[in-house]
Amino acid sequence: MLAKDGRVGRREEPLCDQVLAKVGRAVANPRVRDAQVQPGDERPQPGRRVREVPGDVRPGERAPVEEVPVDAVREFTRTLRSGLYSSWLKPAGPPEIRGLLQDLNAMSVDLAEREALATRNLQLAGEVRSKDARLAAVEAVEVDFTELGDQGMLMRRMMEGITHTLPCELCAVILLDEDAWSVAHARCEEQPAIAHAARGQGMRLAGTDAAALRRGEPIRLGMLRTCGIAALAGSPLADRPAAIMPLRSGDGDLLGAVLVAAPRDAARQARGFEAQDEAGLRHFATLMAMSLERQQVTDRLLERMIRMAETRDPRETGAHVRRESGVSLELVDGWAERHPMDPQQASFAREVLESAAVLHDVGKVGVSDTILKKPGKLDDDEYTAMKRHTILGAALLPGSGAQDEAAREVALHHHERWDGSGYPGDEDWVSAAGDIEGLLQRPMTGRGLAGHEIPLFARIVAVADVFDALSSPR
């Protein structure tokens, strides 16, 4: 029987007890007590016969009895009890001793086989647990795909799933813009500096590899250093194997690729890529491609909303939006340097703020042209109507993702002031976002937010908006 730890039990092994009892009886026998045996260092190889009778013994003569030390037998049994089954006793001596030694050797072989079986059973159990963990990780990513609205967050969760399920040390998402490749996301859990250095870098592939990706074929690289990304080619993982899987749209267009490198086994030891790795990576690549397609649709929608706002307000030009977004990114970078924020959080903040900043005045599509294009100063009623663009902007940006929430906060509160004199104030406008007509008729009587009550991104965009108004002709 097997003990709980997978090793062969000592007192629960009938063959072991039987043979050891036989050893005890033999040792007590006066004929055996003074006999000796020489333990061999190695077991006989298959096909090799152990010489038992000297070659100079003539037929009819009795071969001399080889001396067998009982201490060697005792040492042999002690090694068996300790779980070591490599010992081997050379059969010698009279028939009863040779039979005893052969039984001991047979027991050693049997116990070794059972030990190997127990070890294999433990390995299989570990593989089953590992596969269960992989399936759970894949299912979690699929749930995230349906629930997360933020593409950057979704990509990070997918890279985490890839590094845990293959598993591997490095994963990167490279996007294709016309003919230029650029690392958009990267993850290296144990050496995050590698991932940080790779983000934003270009990738230059050999012509045959680039052609294979365009055909939708994955490629394998013997060493990561040949991937064409400078930060990875000079990293400590440069000599580890890598693979690149294309990301293709439903129409077959190449959107980008996902790169994985330095695969390892369940014991975190280095290994090569296997067929099952490619199948698992292809599944994640399909989800990533669908996410990129979904983001492209969202980006096109947002671009149209921005252009619509530009046509309504001649002062809200595309150049102004780009300048304001750039100033906002400079401000958030400075804020991140002065506050405890790791590089991944800072990068995510930039992504979220960049999209939120360009949509801060999208609510102006609901303001009358008479007010938007009036050359002179607005009267009180007109100014009140103008202020409603903040509420309308928040109503036009539904969703639950980090980018949606940030864009909604910026659109709603980018006219708040540090001293509390801004608008629209502390009323709950978001819960009524579905009732556009009601929002247009609802009086704005709330107290303006002040100081740190104003969301961080809204404060940043407010400063950037004023800076651009004072420094640029509009």
Side-chain angles (χ1 to χ4, degrees):
M1 295 178 65
L2 303 182
K4 293 181 179 180
D5 61 355
R7 299 183 67 83
V8 178
R10 298 174 183 176
R11 297 187 179 277
E12 299 177 352
E13 177 53 61
L15 179 59
C16 181
D17 289 344
Q18 178 182 355
V19 176
L20 292 180
K22 190 172 182 179
V23 171
R25 289 194 300 272
V27 170
N29 189 330
R31 294 181 57 195
V32 180
R33 184 169 55 236
D34 298 329
Q36 296 182 355
V37 67
Q38 297 176 353
D41 293 334
E42 297 179 352
R43 303 185 181 194
Q45 300 297 321
R48 177 183 174 187
R49 300 185 61 184
V50 177
R51 185 179 183 86
E52 298 182 4
V53 180
D56 56 352
V57 177
R58 292 188 296 273
E61 294 186 359
R62 184 174 181 180
V65 177
E66 297 185 23
E67 295 184 349
V68 183
V70 175
D71 288 343
V73 178
R74 289 197 180 102
E75 179 62 26
F76 176 83
T77 58
R78 279 196 294 268
T79 60
L80 295 186
R81 288 185 179 277
S82 67
L84 300 176
Y85 310 115
S86 59
S87 298
W88 181 265
L89 291 171
K90 177 181 178 181
E96 59 268 32
I97 293 182
R98 282 200 303 272
L100 171 64
L101 300 181
Q102 291 169 352
D103 285 344
L104 286 172
N105 289 333
M107 179 182 67
S108 177
V109 172
D110 184 69
L111 292 178
E113 292 175 350
R114 297 190 185 195
E115 177 79 0
L117 180 61
T119 301
R120 180 55 181 159
N121 287 340
L122 289 176
Q123 292 175 346
L124 291 174
E127 291 175 4
V128 169
R129 288 192 295 270
S130 177
K131 290 181 179 179
D132 289 342
R134 292 185 181 187
L135 289 175
V138 171
E139 290 175 356
V141 169
E142 291 176 346
V143 170
D144 290 337
F145 178 78
T146 59
E147 295 182 352
L148 289 179
D150 177 72
Q151 196 237 7
M153 179 66 73
L154 181 57
M155 285 295 177
R156 281 185 282 275
R157 293 295 294 272
M158 287 189 181
M159 289 191 299
E160 180 182 354
I162 290 174
T163 56
H164 287 172
T165 56
L166 282 184
C168 62
E169 295 186 41
L170 174 69
C171 180
V173 177
I174 306 113
L175 300 184
L176 178 63
D177 184 8
E178 295 182 353
D179 292 328
W181 295 88
S182 177
V183 179
H185 309 278
R187 173 185 174 82
C188 187
E189 186 174 353
E190 296 184 358
Q191 302 182 70
I194 296 177
H196 179 67
R199 294 188 193 104
Q201 289 200 338
M203 179 177 73
R204 302 185 66 178
L205 286 172
T208 54
D209 291 338
L213 289 180
R214 291 189 179 278
R215 292 194 302 268
E217 301 172 2
I219 58 176
R220 291 192 185 184
L221 305 175
M223 293 187 294
L224 180 61
R225 68 173 66 254
T226 62
C227 71
I229 302 173
L232 302 183
S235 73
L237 303 178
D239 293 331
R240 300 289 300 280
I244 304 178
M245 181 71 67
L247 303 177
R248 293 165 64 88
S249 69
D251 296 332
D253 296 329
L254 185 61
L255 306 176
V258 56
L259 178 147
V260 293
R264 55 193 181 190
D265 58 22
R268 305 180 73 85
Q269 299 298 314
R271 63 174 178 85
F273 281 104
E274 302 171 356
Q276 64 179 11
D277 297 329
E278 182 174 318
L281 185 58
R282 189 179 297 277
H283 178 74
F284 280 102
T286 301
L287 293 178
M288 286 181 168
M290 293 172 64
S291 174
L292 291 174
E293 281 192 284
R294 186 171 65 184
Q295 185 63 37
Q296 287 181 345
V297 173
T298 302
D299 290 344
R300 285 195 292 267
L301 177 60
L302 295 180
E303 183 179 355
R304 290 170 183 169
M305 293 176 69
I306 294 169
R307 290 182 178 178
M308 190 183 305
E310 291 178 12
T311 61
R312 299 299 308 284
D313 186 356
R315 296 169 298 178
E316 203 68 22
T317 64
H320 159 67
V321 170
R322 288 190 293 272
R323 287 195 305 268
E324 183 173 326
S325 178
V327 173
S328 298
L329 294 181
E330 291 292 334
L331 292 175
V332 77
D333 287 343
W335 189 91
E337 290 178 1
R338 291 167 175 79
H339 295 78
M341 180 179 288
D342 62 40
Q344 185 171 347
Q345 289 177 321
S347 176
F348 179 61
R350 284 179 57 90
E351 293 175 13
V352 171
L353 181 58
E354 184 175 15
S355 62
V358 298
L359 294 170
H360 71 286
D361 272 339
V362 71
K364 287 184 177 180
V365 298
V367 180
S368 169
D369 285 347
T370 304
I371 297 174
L372 286 175
K373 298 179 181 180
K374 182 177 179 178
K377 183 179 180 180
L378 302 178
D379 60 30
D380 291 344
D381 291 339
E382 291 170 337
Y383 183 56
T384 299
M386 173 64 82
K387 290 193 295 185
R388 292 188 183 280
H389 82 276
T390 58
I391 303 170
L392 291 173
L396 291 172
L397 297 169
S400 59
Q403 285 185 329
D404 295 323
E405 293 179 1
R408 193 162 47 246
E409 286 183 347
V410 168
L412 184 61
H413 294 297
H414 71 279
H415 280 290
E416 303 285 0
R417 296 294 177 260
W418 189 260
D419 61 0
S421 62
Y423 60 88
D426 59 355
E427 292 188 49
D428 181 12
W429 300 97
V430 175
S431 61
D435 183 12
I436 301 296
E437 291 297 327
L439 290 175
L440 292 174
Q441 300 299 324
R442 181 175 168 180
M444 302 175 64
T445 58
R447 175 187 65 85
L449 301 182
H452 291 285
E453 294 177 337
I454 307 170
L456 173 62
F457 287 170
R459 299 201 307 265
I460 290 175
V461 172
V463 172
D465 193 17
V466 172
F467 177 82
D468 185 69
L470 295 176
S471 61
S472 303
R474 298 177 64 180

